[in-house]
Amino acid sequence: LISGAACMDQHFQSAPLAKNMPVILALLGLWYGTFLDVQSHSFVPYCERLNLLPSFLQQLDMESNGKRVDMNGQDLPYPSGPVVWGEPGTNGQHAFYQLIHQGTAVVPCEFMVAREGHEASLDTHHRLLIANCLAQSEALMRGRTLEQARQLMIAQGLIGDELERQARHRVFPGNRPSTTLIYPRLSPFVLGQIIALYEHRVFAEGVILGINSFDQWGVELGKELARDMEQLLSGAASAADKDGSTQRLLDYIRTAQS
């Protein structure tokens, strides 16, 4: 794991910018957020062994680059980190792909898939995983025109108004961005490369945005208030100076405790 991360460290340090993977991913992320005004980003590994990776990347990106001021304390004139989320492969297909294919919001996706699986007895299963991954990225890019949808409905024997109505439901706008990362086979070394790849990507975005990716003041206010809230819940302090909403919440909790 450490050797894989070190390998990606060396790549980030020495590769020219045009072939530097963290830099390219950082520039893509900034292109989506700053120039296309995209506010959400999805990570979709087609591997159950990486089922916690989207959560890790969520914390890495949003905890680091979710800032509103630059290094000098000035308000940012452009968006910083996006909302990051995701789910392993085929689970995601039955959870949120409808939105990314036909919804009104554009959500860039980062697909990940291994070229080789782990179990020889499941080669067919792994081939289906790869097929689904590549098909989803192609569908996002190509979409389906209204005329193509009409031809599908004609082939199913529909005519007239019903044909037109059904066809419109089967139109996909396409031109929706995605990136596909294909790694040879998941191993501790490769996992170390993936983790370091995205750590450097977030760092590179922070440098370009002019923000400090390594402070986390955004979570401190809630922690400070939580210390006082514990005193209020125990009855050791008065909630008289709290807002009405918080007072009602406290009253409800304390009533249940009594």
Side-chain angles (χ1 to χ4, degrees), residues 18-227:
K19 296 183 178 181
N20 194 300
M21 292 178 67
V23 171
I24 292 170
L25 288 177
L27 292 174
L28 277 173
L30 293 174
W31 173 254
Y32 299 146
T34 304
F35 296 96
L36 300 184
D37 195 28
V38 169
Q39 300 177 6
S40 177
H41 201 110
S42 180
F43 290 91
V44 191
Y46 273 75
C47 176
E48 189 61 30
R49 289 176 171 87
L50 293 177
N51 68 316
L52 293 179
L53 184 64
S55 296
F56 166 75
L57 296 176
Q58 182 182 69
Q59 186 275 338
L60 171 65
D61 199 315
M62 296 170 69
E63 189 89 337
S64 300
N65 288 349
K67 309 292 169 57
R68 60 181 301 274
V69 296
D70 63 19
M71 293 281 286
N72 298 316
Q74 302 299 311
D75 289 347
L76 289 175
Y78 33 71
S80 57
V83 176
V84 173
W85 51 284
E87 180 78 15
T90 51
N91 292 343
Q93 290 181 198
H94 299 284
F96 54 82
Y97 277 37
Q98 173 61 43
L99 183 145
I100 63 174
H101 279 292
Q102 289 187 306
T104 55
V106 174
V107 181
C109 293
E110 294 202 25
F111 298 103
M112 303 177 196
V113 68
R115 186 177 59 197
E116 304 171 25
H118 285 265
E119 299 86 6
S121 60
L122 296 176
D123 280 350
T124 301
H125 175 76
H126 189 71
R127 188 162 59 249
L128 288 172
L129 275 181
I130 297 175
N132 273 272
C133 179
L134 300 184
Q136 293 296 335
S137 65
E138 182 186 15
L140 285 170
M141 177 186 66
R142 294 181 58 180
R144 178 189 287 156
T145 66
L146 179 57
E147 185 53 38
Q148 289 171 329
R150 285 187 181 120
Q151 293 304 314
L152 284 174
M153 296 302 95
I154 291 172
Q156 293 183 23
L158 297 182
I159 59 174
D161 292 344
E162 183 62 14
L163 182 153
E164 191 68 18
R165 187 180 74 83
Q166 292 287 346
R168 292 189 63 81
H169 284 287
R170 289 162 173 77
V171 172
F172 293 76
N175 195 30
R176 300 210 161 181
S178 70
T179 302
T180 303
L181 175 67
I182 301 178
Y183 48 89
R185 187 176 188 233
L186 189 63
S187 65
F189 184 88
V190 168
L191 180 59
Q193 288 181 304
I194 292 173
I195 291 172
L197 168 65
Y198 285 99
E199 288 179 337
H200 291 312
R201 176 228 185 112
V202 168
F203 166 75
E205 287 185 354
V207 170
I208 297 170
L209 289 167
I211 61 179
N212 184 354
S213 300
F214 303 104
D215 65 33
Q216 300 171 1
W217 302 118
V219 299
E220 293 302 317
L221 177 59
K223 291 180 180 179
E224 294 169 9
L225 294 175
R227 288 193 290 269

